[in-house]
């Protein structure tokens, strides 16, 4: 359970680091600049990898629905 909740937290903070409007929404805009860029880069890379993973997962489901007999 900790791994899944940690993943959710990483995605949340990656969104804060990537989008100013998201940081303003959670009142973290003023704290965003205090984090070193090396750390924010790790969060952003994880976010991009997760989004690509979910896109491929959705594509797999759609292709399996469209072509169910291909093995």
């Amino acid at each position: 359970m900790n791994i899944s909740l940690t993943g959710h937290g990483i995605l949340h903070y990656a969104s804060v680091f990537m989008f100013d409007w998201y940081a303003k929404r959670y009142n973290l805009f003023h704290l965003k600049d205090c984090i070193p860029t090396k750390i924010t880069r790790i969060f952003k890379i994880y976010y991009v990898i997760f989004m690509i993973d979910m896109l491929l997962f959705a594509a797999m489901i759609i292709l399996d629905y469209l072509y169910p007999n291909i093995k």
Side-chain angles (χ1 to χ4, degrees):
M1 177 119 175
N2 284 339
I3 292 172
S4 64
L5 292 176
T6 302
H8 181 267
I10 289 173
L11 291 175
H12 170 71
Y13 283 109
S15 300
V16 168
F17 294 136
M18 292 176 80
F19 308 112
D20 289 341
W21 62 270
Y22 200 82
K24 289 177 186 175
R25 178 180 176 188
Y26 287 101
N27 295 325
L28 297 171
F29 187 72
H30 63 284
L31 297 173
K32 186 173 101 163
D33 296 328
C34 299
I35 309 298
T37 56
K38 185 176 181 180
I39 294 174
T40 60
R41 189 177 303 132
I42 293 170
F43 280 93
K44 291 176 184 179
I45 290 170
Y46 179 81
Y47 184 85
V48 169
I49 289 171
F50 179 80
M51 289 301 165
I52 291 170
D53 186 41
M54 288 297 110
L55 178 69
L56 292 174
F57 182 72
M60 180 190 65
I61 291 173
I62 291 169
L63 287 174
D64 189 46
Y65 178 76
L66 292 176
Y67 305 106
N69 295 330
I70 296 177
K71 296 288 179 183

